[in-house]
Amino acid sequence: PTDEAERVRVMAAKIDLIVDRHQGQLKRCYQSAAKVSTPLEPLEGTVKLYFSVQADGSAKNISVQSNDSGSQALAKCLVGLVGSWTFPSGTGDALDFVWPFEFQAPK
């Protein structure tokens, strides 16, 4: 694999860990957005965010790539969260990702 592909693979694994570490924040976004849903129409779906991890570990150019949850509030909350997280720095050039955040209503 190319160095670029390796950098993306390594960073993706680190992003996975960062997302795991922030499950509490993700859950709060979901719970806040789900207040307007009903048991018959629960808030569920995947919000895919595009973001660019910069050399300093910040995320820039964060945008909603797709959102089949139907909740703008959820998507907006996720954009804010990703923008507040710190990613590994010193990676050289910025790396771009589209990351899926999946949500299911509690059973």
Side-chain angles (χ1 to χ4, degrees):
T2 64
D3 286 348
E4 181 77 359
E6 182 64 13
R7 283 178 52 224
V8 168
R9 193 185 63 71
V10 167
M11 180 61 80
K14 290 177 179 174
I15 291 172
D16 222 12
L17 292 173
I18 290 164
V19 170
D20 274 355
R21 260 204 308 266
H22 291 91
Q23 284 302 315
Q25 290 179 334
L26 293 168
K27 190 173 183 180
R28 281 193 293 280
C29 271
Y30 174 83
Q31 287 170 334
S32 173
K35 286 182 179 146
V36 296
S37 63
T38 65
L40 291 176
E41 289 186 18
L43 175 58
E44 293 188 322
T46 302
V47 179
K48 289 185 181 174
L49 296 186
Y50 166 87
F51 55 95
S52 181
V53 176
Q54 308 299 301
D56 67 358
S58 64
K60 298 277 187 257
N61 307 319
I62 307 159
S63 63
V64 178
Q65 195 79 9
S66 67
N67 176 4
D68 66 15
S69 76
S71 172
Q72 291 302 317
L74 179 58
K76 188 175 176 196
C77 187
L78 294 174
V79 167
L81 278 186
V82 171
S84 73
W85 295 347
T86 302
F87 296 89
S89 58
T91 57
D93 295 339
L95 294 174
D96 297 339
F97 291 91
V98 173
W99 206 263
F101 294 88
E102 294 180 30
F103 296 92
Q104 290 186 315
K107 298 293 181 241

